[in-house]
Amino acid sequence: MFWFKIKLFFQQHWIGLAIAAIVVIAVLFPIWYLAGVEENTRKYIISMNVASMPWMVLNTIIFVGFLYLMQSGGLSALKKTRVDAGAVNIRFSDIIGLEEAKREAWEVVQLIKDRTRVKAIGGKILKGALLVGPPGCGKTLMAKAVATEAGIPFLSVSGSEFVEVFVGVGASRVRTLFKQARAYAQAHGACIIFIDEIEVIGRRRILYDAFGGGSETNSTQNQLLVEMDGLSGSDANIIVFGATNAYEGLLDEALLRPGRFDRKIFVDKPNLSERGKLFAHYLSRISYDRGMDLARLARKSVGSSPADIENVVKEAALIAVRNSSAQVSYKDISAAIERIELGVAHRLSMTPRERERIACHEAGHLVTIYLCHPTDDVFKASILHRGGALGVVHHMPIEELHVPDRDSYIGWLRASLGGFAAEKIKYGVTSSGVGSDFASAAHTAHRMVWGMGMGKSGFIGDYSSIRESERSAVITDLLEKETQELMREQLTEVEKLLTENWKIVERFTAELIKREELDYDEIALIFGEFGKPSRMLHPAAEAAEAAPAPWLPNPPGA
Ligand code: ADP
């Protein structure tokens, strides 16, 4: 009983007892010690201690300060996030293409400017907009343009900046960010917060995970939701722009609810005429050959984002400098595209026999694509070693295909088999060079038969999505057979086509051995000699004419 009381006493008062013990030791021990030493030494020790007191206090302050700083997000918390509206001087006229998105964004500008009017007529005040689209297509640019046009400050952060080791630090950053934004909004009338990569904090919330790993994003996201809800109550005119290139289904539903990011602006990749304009825009900053066919460049860069095009032009300028030419020419740009897409070319030393085999293989691809592909066009054929490939035939859909049909798939399948067929016809035996071609042929045929009902037997449905254990062996067998049959059938077609046009294959083999690289014009010229018409489907004029209607009756800053 007695021991239990003592134990309880210790449990309840251990902090007090510990402090008392420390004080006793810290005070009594020095006194006892000093009492035992000489007068002079005692004075010396005491004065030394007194003299060093301020230094000790300063050390303590620095130590505690650092501890606090680390707790509140480390040195990066000191970073200033403010960028003045003056510093982001992007006008709507600087954004090329994206007419639809610009129209939406212009509405946002109007809403920011006319907030009081919107309020007076009882309209809903905009709080957040989500910019969705692939990277490098102008999401940041669009948000900056809104800030510039509305003449308000622009605060920019990235979602990954909120990810911290310490739970709660991300949330506290969100709080700080909104506090800062409120201060700017009060001073300037309104403020934009731009959160790049919002999917990092906006992912669907995980309620638990084994190590509590989900909780940091959760608390950050909850804080974001709380702050955004707070915007409606307050008078602060803050608009939050979130940018993401992830599928929006990845984002938490709570974020997309009305009153949060309830407006979506799609910032998509540029189309043919927009790419032409982007080339014109970026080339206008450097000196370039005015006779260059921009429409052809636009066709050659199907699938490129504006940032890619900017990069190509910069790379082309470097190539022109290296070649000590005063102007950037079509060839430089073409070389830049290939360097970026296919890697730097270099010569491998190989036997003439091997070189001939590679040339024949590439000629097979080239002739197959040129003569029978319904959607792709050949831009270049090369037997230079690039990024692991011994040769390439660079082909691209004539324009973006959103729903390729069976003919296109057959075209790609044949294209992959062209090299193999040519080697087989010429040498009877084939080489290891067909490895990657076969991989893509098998993949295409498999997808056609297994997933898209494009086989002959009439099996419809996506069988790849069904687990093996749930699929009957008979069906698996049939699908496998049909895939193989499809490939064989197309190989026969390709062999027939190449045999009929063997002269053209031989000619390209010889040309490739001689010149190593052939460009579109050179390729079209040779086909012309054999009476095959040029495949250029969009003449230059057509692309230039296809200018979209003005997006605003009175474009601002234009
Ligand atoms: P995102 O935020 O979509 O990843 P950015 O807005 O940061 O892309 O764009 C990257 C760069 O690409 C910009 O700095 C700009 O130079 C260029 N760019 C992107 N889209 C456009 C466009 N529509 N018009 C002109 N330049 C663009």
Side-chain angles (χ1 to χ4, degrees):
M1 196 67 173
F2 173 72
W3 286 114
F4 278 118
K5 276 188 183 160
I6 289 191
K7 200 175 159 192
L8 191 67
F9 179 78
F10 269 101
Q11 268 175 0
Q12 284 173 339
H13 303 285
W14 71 271
I15 294 182
L17 288 171
I19 291 174
I22 289 170
V23 168
V24 166
I25 293 170
V27 174
L28 293 187
F29 175 76
I31 290 175
W32 167 79
Y33 178 78
L34 286 175
V37 294
E38 249 180 59
E39 173 78 16
N40 275 348
T41 320
R42 192 184 312 142
K43 275 188 182 159
Y44 175 73
I45 292 176
I46 292 174
S47 55
M48 275 297 285
N49 272 293
V50 171
S52 62
M53 199 70 89
W55 187 233
M56 270 166 18
V57 171
L58 189 67
N59 269 339
T60 313
I61 291 173
I62 291 174
F63 178 72
V64 173
F66 258 103
L67 217 58
Y68 181 76
L69 187 66
M70 287 306 162
Q71 271 293 323
S72 59
L75 286 174
S76 56
L78 292 176
K79 205 173 57 186
K80 274 178 80 179
T81 43
R82 176 168 181 189
V83 188
D84 283 328
V88 292
N89 194 11
I90 306 281
R91 295 266 152 195
F92 270 37
S93 51
D94 295 333
I95 303 176
I96 294 171
L98 300 174
E99 302 304 323
E100 199 49 40
K102 269 197 229 173
R103 208 169 293 136
E104 295 250 350
W106 182 242
E107 242 180 79
V108 175
V109 174
Q110 295 299 328
L111 285 176
I112 295 170
K113 285 184 167 168
D114 287 357
R115 190 179 155 99
T116 34
R117 222 182 65 201
V118 175
K119 230 177 186 169
I121 56 172
K124 198 179 68 169
I125 288 186
L126 180 77
K127 282 185 291 175
L130 201 62
L131 293 155
V132 188
C137 287
K139 296 185 291 294
T140 315
L141 217 57
M142 193 62 85
K144 282 183 178 172
V146 171
T148 314
E149 297 290 355
I152 57 176
F154 179 79
L155 289 174
S156 163
V157 284
S158 168
S160 48
E161 284 174 43
F162 293 108
V163 179
E164 285 293 335
V165 180
F166 301 107
V167 172
V169 174
S172 94
R173 282 212 188 148
V174 173
R175 253 192 313 271
T176 320
L177 177 71
F178 275 79
K179 207 167 118 195
Q180 213 180 352
R182 263 191 287 277
Y184 285 125
Q186 272 153 11
H188 296 267
C191 176
I192 285 185
I193 298 180
F194 177 71
I195 309 178
D196 205 0
E197 302 174 30
I198 194 155
E199 72 275 6
V200 177
I201 49 171
R203 245 180 285 134
R204 272 174 191 285
R205 276 173 289 183
I206 331 164
L207 292 183
Y208 56 84
D209 76 15
F211 303 99
S215 50
E216 170 58 12
T217 1
N218 289 358
S219 69
T220 310
Q221 193 187 119
N222 290 341
Q223 189 62 41
L224 182 65
L225 294 176
V226 168
E227 293 289 349
M228 289 193 73
D229 287 345
L231 293 181
S232 55
S234 77
D235 262 348
N237 196 359
I238 298 173
I239 288 101
V240 188
F241 272 97
T244 176
N245 47 41
Y247 163 61
E248 54 179 303
L250 217 69
L251 296 177
D252 201 279
E253 275 162 32
L255 272 176
L256 305 172
R257 229 175 270 150
R260 283 145 185 185
F261 292 103
D262 51 359
R263 188 174 280 237
K264 271 180 227 120
I265 302 180
F266 291 96
V267 178
D268 255 332
K269 285 197 172 168
N271 62 23
L272 184 74
S273 80
E274 286 166 353
R275 285 197 303 276
K277 285 187 203 148
L278 281 161
F279 270 112
H281 174 75
Y282 288 115
L283 281 170
S284 68
R285 298 177 180 179
I286 55 177
S287 90
Y288 72 104
D289 173 14
R290 302 276 151 178
M292 198 186 296
D293 184 354
L294 296 181
R296 172 146 356 134
L297 283 179
R299 294 188 48 229
K300 202 175 158 123
S301 52
V302 172
S304 298
S305 70
D308 293 335
I309 293 179
E310 188 180 7
N311 193 18
V312 162
V313 173
K314 280 188 187 149
E315 185 75 35
L318 285 181
I319 294 175
V321 169
R322 203 168 305 139
N323 298 341
S324 30
S325 55
Q327 283 187 331
V328 170
S329 66
Y330 179 83
K331 265 222 153 8
D332 297 330
I333 300 218
S334 180
I337 292 178
E338 271 125 37
R339 176 174 296 185
I340 290 168
E341 281 187 6
L342 312 170
V344 180
H346 62 269
R347 285 178 180 78
L348 275 184
S349 63
M350 55 172 72
T351 62
R353 198 179 147 69
E354 267 191 332
R355 250 169 82 85
E356 190 194 63
R357 187 184 269 279
I358 292 168
C360 170
H361 181 104
E362 298 310 328
H365 283 306
L366 171 61
V367 174
T368 314
I369 299 167
Y370 199 93
L371 294 184
C372 79
H373 204 297
T375 50
D376 279 24
D377 214 352
V378 184
F379 278 99
K380 180 153 205 149
S382 150
I383 55 162
L384 288 181
H385 184 65
R386 277 178 206 269
L390 293 173
V392 282
V393 172
H394 188 200
H395 60 110
M396 280 270 178
I398 285 153
E399 185 47 352
E400 285 88 345
L401 293 173
H402 299 292
V403 274
D405 58 7
R406 186 172 188 274
D407 288 347
S408 305
Y409 281 104
I410 292 284
W412 287 315
L413 188 52
R414 287 184 186 172
S416 325
L417 296 170
F420 174 79
E423 281 190 51
K424 201 170 152 214
I425 296 171
K426 188 169 169 103
Y427 302 101
V429 286
T430 55
S431 68
S432 69
V434 300
S436 63
D437 294 342
F438 269 17
S440 69
H443 184 72
T444 311
H446 179 88
R447 276 200 58 199
M448 288 174 72
V449 175
W450 283 66
M452 298 186 292
M454 289 181 180
K456 270 207 281 186
S457 59
F459 275 115
I460 49 167
D462 183 358
Y463 290 90
S464 349
S465 66
I466 297 172
R467 255 184 273 148
E468 203 176 337
S469 54
E470 290 166 9
R471 214 166 42 215
S472 86
V474 182
I475 285 200
T476 308
D477 246 22
L478 273 172
L479 290 169
E480 295 284 9
K481 269 202 198 100
E482 194 166 343
T483 309
Q484 197 46 235
E485 205 176 295
L486 178 67
M487 282 205 278
R488 272 185 213 284
E489 190 184 277
Q490 292 312 317
L491 181 62
T492 316
E493 289 296 319
V494 174
E495 281 174 352
K496 200 168 128 227
L497 177 91
L498 292 186
T499 320
E500 280 167 13
N501 295 284
W502 193 249
K503 274 205 176 73
I504 312 185
V505 179
E506 287 284 7
R507 172 70 193 277
F508 274 112
T509 309
E511 287 292 335
L512 278 171
I513 292 171
K514 198 164 76 195
R515 294 199 255 171
E516 294 183 328
E517 292 201 304
L518 293 173
D519 243 320
Y520 185 88
D521 295 327
E522 295 159 324
I523 294 169
L525 209 67
I526 295 175
F527 276 110
E529 285 174 23
F530 290 89
K532 306 284 176 195
S534 166
R535 292 270 319 261
M536 189 89 161
L537 295 185
H538 292 269
E542 197 181 301
E545 269 171 25
W551 54 275
L552 263 183
N554 192 8

